[in-house]
Amino acid sequence: MARTLSAPVTVAFDYTRSTGPVLGRFLGGLREGVVVGGRTSDGRVVVPPPEFDPVTHEPTQDFVEVADTGTVTSWTWVPEPVKGQPLDRPFAFALVTLDGADAPLLHALDVASPADVHTGMRVRIRWREERTGDITDIACFEPAPDAAEVAAPREPLRTIDPVTGIVVPVELDYLYAASPEESLFYTSLSQGKLVGQRCPRCGKVYIPPRSACPSDGTPTTDEVPLPDTGTVTTFCIVNVPFLGQRITPPYVSAYVLLDGADIAFLHLILDIPAEEVRMGMRVKAVWKPESEWGTTIENISHFAPTGEPDADYDTYKQHL
Amino acid sequence: MRDVAVVGFAQRQMQDFDGSPTCVELLVPLFAECYEQTGWTRRDVGFWCSGSSDYLAGRSFSFVQAVDAIGVIPPVNESHVEMDLAWAMYEAWLKIQTGEVDTALVYAFGKSSAGVLRRTLSLQLEPYTMTPIWPDTVSLAGLQARAGIDAGVWDERAMAEVANRSLTDAEKNEYAVRKGGSSVDELLARPVYADPLRKHDCAPVTDGAAALVLAAGDRAREVTDRPAWIRSLAHFVDPMSMGTRDLTRSPSAQRAGEACDLDGVEVAELHAPFSHQELVLRRELGLADDVRVNPSGGALTSNPMFSAGGIRIGEAARRIWSGEAARTLGHATSGPALQQNLVCVMGADH
Ligand SMILES: [Zn+2]
């Protein structure tokens, strides 16, 4: 059995990229259903066009249209597609040299089995119906009848409105594991207890426990139960709304130094107007009802003032 | 140039690390091993450099937390590369060349199993026309393997021979995730997975961490009578796009080899996460038939992301410390289909 707690986590964000004149023209072409290649100084037509010539390092300026039919120059089978790939059933990735080009383009090829693909086979682009100017405007390649003759590259017949930017969504799934020390912390929370660990060398107490003392690198082995009372060392008033926010601003996010701990941790301070929260304020955890507890710091709904006199600055000045 | 040697090496390679993606708990014992090998404390380390990736860890600034394993009071001289351990070592070697420090401990870590590795690595690719279609690492290697087979540069039997030798050698490697050779015919009888690749042609997903210790001149001689002196070190990179590269070649590996003096190399630890890539590297580096390749089993038997290249250097250094070889080579790769390559030649002689 695993000695650690783990949970699925998805990390997602969008990359927003400017495209520049060369890729902008290529992607603009895709939006029109046209494949644009770039002619390099050695006379080759490369798709997608390289931004700079591989030999002269000059910006690519000579653009040509190539066909949307081509020949497979290499391929591999994808028996277990991963999220985000062009097809969600087994397919082939292929390098396809489009007619009129001298260098292959990488994309998916929609065939039912590896028996249906071979190097040298003729394929054509299956265009996405609604095109927006990115590489997925090419839905994939599909088998095509053998062409009698292969089209030559030609000067662009139309003016292409270049794409100036693209948005690439990234979404990654993890099974996120806590360290053994953190796992102890979260397991204890599910029993309503706060547990830290003490460095055997320097005596500092860390909560949540860390695998090693950040001061001296010693593994923190000694468990230390900690109370749920502490002192606000520093705080900020959150006024800005953001995605995923659970409380309406303004509210206070603060570092709370539990009594007996050497490191403060972040939590909410509620039950008091935001403008009255101050450094040195004494606070106590407000726990959710026990029936709602899990292995999470959210078992503590927030911290609230105890009404005690403020702590002396000297008692927490080393922990700011 | 200052004389710099590899004088310490520690590693962990495992199928599934039951711990956090920052691997702090894995790094503490690795550093302890390095201190024991060198007789140093952390105060004797002049420079620290790590290799890791936030995409692997699934959290931002994951290398910062790993610094806990060092301990930072008093503050340490520290850096990070979003690359393999071998490149962290390169940075440390340069740092020592500046004369600012005499010693360095470089480390790397990665919990590949936290996500879907072959998918996560798509984020290394050209971001406009490749990443949006998520070409996975195995597929890109498959395209390369096919290109070589079609061109007649290698065949499936040659690939199986590499795999069989690796699996056999890995039997002696306590850290190898996959081990146990059988026969080339038996391997060829196994089903094709990512046609033309079989599963044994692809490195297993591996979690792990590793550390290397570098020291200059007398500081190296204090540690051991037989330091693995770095005789030459070079790295080069090929274009990112798959279309403009001849996939049967690796010009960057060839240039890195050319920039180093490979004469007399007896053992070569090549970082080849796919069987055919060992064949490409052997050819590009021009290794003679009597050069012993990957006696550790190599990356085909365990390939912890961001440490596996540096582990090749550590394994090659170990053969010098033990007296088994007088001149060895460690190689590391990164990026799709051998895009980036680093070669490090070490010698016992001074
Ligand atoms: Zn300590």
Side-chain angles (χ1 to χ4, degrees):
Chain A
M1 188 184 133
R3 59 188 178 135
T4 56
L5 293 172
S6 60
V9 168
T10 299
V11 175
F13 51 88
D14 288 342
Y15 272 123
T16 305
R17 300 183 185 278
S18 57
T19 43
V22 176
L23 281 166
R25 186 185 289 246
F26 171 71
L27 297 172
L30 296 183
R31 188 167 51 196
E32 309 272 319
V34 174
V35 183
V36 174
R39 206 187 300 271
T40 55
S41 60
D42 58 4
R44 297 199 310 153
V45 173
V46 177
V47 180
E51 292 187 271
F52 296 94
D53 189 273
V55 177
T56 66
H57 308 146
E58 292 295 317
T60 302
Q61 281 176 329
D62 189 0
F63 298 99
V64 294
E65 278 182 25
V66 300
D68 64 1
T69 52
T71 304
V72 171
T73 59
S74 186
W75 62 276
T76 185
W77 191 244
V78 186
E80 298 171 75
V82 294
K83 203 197 269 184
Q85 290 182 334
L87 297 159
D88 58 8
R89 54 186 178 272
F91 66 97
F93 263 121
L95 289 168
V96 176
T97 302
L98 293 169
D99 298 336
D102 301 294
L105 170 72
L106 171 71
H107 219 296
L109 169 60
D110 187 10
V111 283
S113 87
D116 301 324
V117 51
H118 61 270
T119 302
M121 87 184 269
R122 297 285 300 163
V123 294
R124 77 169 148 238
I125 290 173
R126 182 190 298 161
W127 294 98
R128 192 155 58 129
E129 263 173 44
E130 290 198 9
R131 296 190 297 271
T132 56
D134 68 70
I135 191 68
T136 64
D137 284 347
I138 298 176
C140 60
F141 282 96
E142 60 190 19
D146 287 349
E149 65 185 78
V150 165
R154 52 192 178 151
E155 299 312 311
L157 296 177
R158 65 202 96 189
T159 324
I160 286 169
D161 189 17
V163 166
T164 55
I166 56 168
V167 176
V168 180
V170 169
E171 191 178 298
L172 296 166
D173 298 313
Y174 298 91
L175 183 65
Y176 197 86
S179 68
E181 294 76 15
E182 288 169 320
S183 298
L184 167 77
F185 172 70
Y186 292 117
T187 309
S188 302
L189 273 171
S190 70
Q191 298 152 7
K193 291 184 291 194
L194 287 161
V195 175
Q197 279 190 320
R198 178 181 282 120
C199 170
R201 182 175 299 182
C202 69
K204 287 204 173 78
V205 172
Y206 297 102
I207 183 162
R210 306 165 79 120
S211 302
C213 171
S215 295
D216 49 46
T218 312
T220 48
T221 46
D222 312 336
E223 289 171 29
V224 184
L226 288 168
D228 64 357
T229 53
T231 301
V232 171
T233 60
T234 184
F235 65 96
C236 77
I237 301 178
V238 179
N239 286 299
V240 183
F242 56 84
L243 196 70
Q245 199 168 39
R246 295 189 189 174
I247 304 173
T248 312
Y251 60 91
V252 174
S253 183
Y255 271 110
V256 175
L257 182 68
L258 292 181
D259 298 331
D262 287 288
I263 195 164
F265 71 90
L266 201 60
H267 218 304
L268 298 167
I269 310 295
L270 301 177
D271 304 344
I272 178 174
E275 64 272 20
E276 289 178 26
V277 174
R278 56 204 180 264
M279 289 172 76
M281 195 173 76
R282 297 285 297 157
V283 292
K284 183 172 174 47
V286 177
W287 294 78
K288 286 183 183 168
E290 198 174 328
S291 58
E292 294 175 23
W293 287 354
T295 48
T296 166
I297 190 67
E298 290 180 3
N299 294 355
I300 295 175
S301 142
H302 59 277
F303 281 78
T306 62
E308 294 168 86
D310 286 1
D312 273 345
Y313 180 65
D314 282 349
T315 63
Y316 61 86
K317 68 177 183 189
Q318 299 297 329
H319 303 290
L320 289 173
Chain B
M1 286 292 216
R2 303 183 74 189
D3 289 323
V4 179
V6 180
V7 296
F9 171 50
Q11 61 173 315
R12 296 288 184 281
Q13 307 185 62
M14 55 195 85
Q15 193 139 33
D16 195 358
F17 171 51
D18 178 22
S20 71
T22 55
C23 296
V24 176
E25 61 271 42
L26 202 53
L27 291 169
V28 169
L30 282 181
F31 293 172
E33 275 181 44
C34 290
Y35 300 146
E36 199 179 329
Q37 286 170 20
T38 52
W40 298 352
T41 71
R42 64 196 176 93
R43 306 277 172 92
D44 293 302
V45 177
F47 180 63
W48 300 79
C49 192
S50 63
S52 69
S53 168
D54 285 352
Y55 286 116
L56 216 57
R59 67 198 293 178
S60 52
F61 296 102
S62 58
F63 71 94
V64 173
Q65 214 176 337
V67 173
D68 278 9
I70 304 173
V72 294
I73 294 175
V76 296
N77 187 358
E78 182 263 345
S79 184
H80 173 258
V81 296
E82 191 88 3
M83 284 293 279
D84 186 276
L85 173 62
W87 277 267
M89 191 205 80
Y90 194 101
E91 180 173 334
W93 179 83
L94 281 173
K95 192 78 162 183
I96 295 174
Q97 292 303 337
T98 66
E100 193 188 319
V101 299
D102 298 326
T103 59
L105 198 160
V106 296
Y107 62 100
F109 58 94
K111 183 170 165 159
S112 306
S113 68
V116 180
L117 178 65
R118 65 194 169 98
R119 180 171 187 271
T120 306
L121 292 177
S122 296
L123 294 168
Q124 284 186 326
L125 302 173
E126 190 272 306
Y128 296 94
T129 63
M130 287 181 80
T131 303
I133 56 173
W134 295 88
D136 57 285
T137 334
V138 173
S139 295
L140 294 175
L143 290 169
Q144 184 182 36
R146 168 99 50 211
I149 292 170
D150 286 345
V153 185
W154 58 77
D155 57 19
E156 293 186 30
R157 175 160 289 271
M159 289 160 61
E161 279 165 4
V162 169
N164 192 46
R165 199 211 61 237
S166 294
L167 291 165
T168 306
D169 283 340
E171 288 166 24
K172 296 189 289 288
N173 182 349
E174 61 174 306
Y175 299 109
V177 164
R178 202 186 265 164
K179 55 181 92 177
S182 46
S183 74
V184 171
D185 287 330
E186 193 271 324
L187 291 182
L188 285 172
R190 291 185 190 172
V192 174
Y193 174 68
D195 196 339
L197 300 174
R198 292 171 171 81
K199 285 197 172 169
H200 56 249
D201 291 312
C202 315
V205 173
T206 312
D207 296 343
L212 292 166
V213 186
L214 302 186
D218 290 341
R219 294 301 306 271
R221 283 181 211 99
E222 282 163 26
V223 171
T224 166
D225 294 337
R226 206 175 152 86
W229 297 104
I230 295 172
R231 311 307 299 172
S232 39
L233 190 55
H235 70 129
F236 287 90
V237 55
D238 290 321
M240 184 150 42
S241 126
M242 299 283 284
T244 47
R245 288 162 61 187
D246 172 356
L247 294 176
T248 67
R249 301 285 318 271
S250 176
S252 59
Q254 193 247 338
R255 285 187 71 184
E258 233 171 46
C260 296
D261 179 7
L262 305 190
D263 276 354
V265 164
E266 297 152 86
V267 174
E269 281 280 344
L270 305 179
H271 187 197
F274 296 90
S275 57
H276 65 275
Q277 293 180 346
E278 184 185 297
L279 302 168
V280 176
L281 291 167
R282 247 199 123 109
R283 189 164 66 123
E284 296 297 0
L285 297 176
L287 298 179
D289 288 345
D290 60 352
V291 175
R292 180 92 166 87
V293 172
N294 288 346
S296 68
L300 273 188
T301 64
S302 45
N303 186 40
M305 286 312 300
F306 299 92
S307 345
I311 288 173
R312 307 277 73 78
I313 294 169
E315 289 284 356
R318 275 200 321 135
R319 315 247 159 217
I320 289 181
W321 303 339
S322 70
E324 195 179 322
R327 199 169 169 84
T328 65
L329 178 161
H331 158 268
T333 194
S334 180
L338 297 175
Q339 185 207 3
Q340 310 185 38
N341 293 282
L342 180 150
V343 172
C344 174
V345 176
M346 289 161 282
D349 58 309
H350 174 52

